Amino acid sequence: KLFDLSLKNLKLHYFYKKHNMGAQHLTQKEKGILYEDMLRRYQQLQEQVRIIKSKNFEVSDEDQKQINMIEATMKRIYNDTQKLF
């Protein structure tokens, strides 16, 4: 059942993105579901950055590129959350 709910959240999110729908077309419940999903993904990305940084005292150029890509995704997720409300 948890998988079904997660799949539903993912479908709702991609439908929202695909149709470039504004948040005004979503119910508060749908906005909440999307927000929770975005928050979960944001936290997972934060953890990825933490793991990369914890591998070595100094971050390699390759690691920094990966961190930059992850942080760009985090910024997009954050901006998407702001559009919900």
Side-chain angles (χ1 to χ4, degrees):
K1 181 153 181 148
L2 182 60
F3 176 74
D4 291 340
L5 183 58
S6 178
L7 184 59
K8 182 179 178 184
N9 294 353
L10 194 58
K11 286 180 181 178
L12 180 61
H13 177 72
Y14 285 116
F15 179 82
Y16 170 75
K17 295 295 272 181
K18 178 181 177 184
H19 297 287
N20 198 21
M21 293 175 62
Q24 70 272 16
H25 298 290
L26 301 173
T27 66
Q28 290 294 20
K29 184 176 181 178
E30 290 169 332
K31 288 179 187 179
I33 290 168
L34 281 175
Y35 181 81
E36 288 175 11
D37 183 59
M38 290 179 198
L39 181 60
R40 180 188 51 76
R41 288 186 297 125
Y42 187 91
Q43 290 171 336
Q44 287 173 337
L45 292 170
Q46 277 182 319
E47 181 64 12
Q48 286 180 10
V49 170
R50 187 195 67 73
I51 289 169
I52 292 168
K53 288 181 176 180
S54 70
K55 287 194 294 187
N56 296 310
F57 182 70
E58 291 187 27
V59 178
S60 71
D61 289 341
E62 189 61 37
D63 286 343
Q64 188 59 54
K65 286 178 188 176
Q66 190 175 5
I67 289 169
N68 292 345
M69 289 187 335
I70 293 169
E71 288 177 342
T73 302
M74 291 169 65
K75 185 173 184 170
R76 280 193 302 275
I77 291 171
Y78 174 80
N79 290 336
D80 287 347
T81 64
Q82 299 307 299
K83 294 175 189 174
L84 287 176
F85 301 101

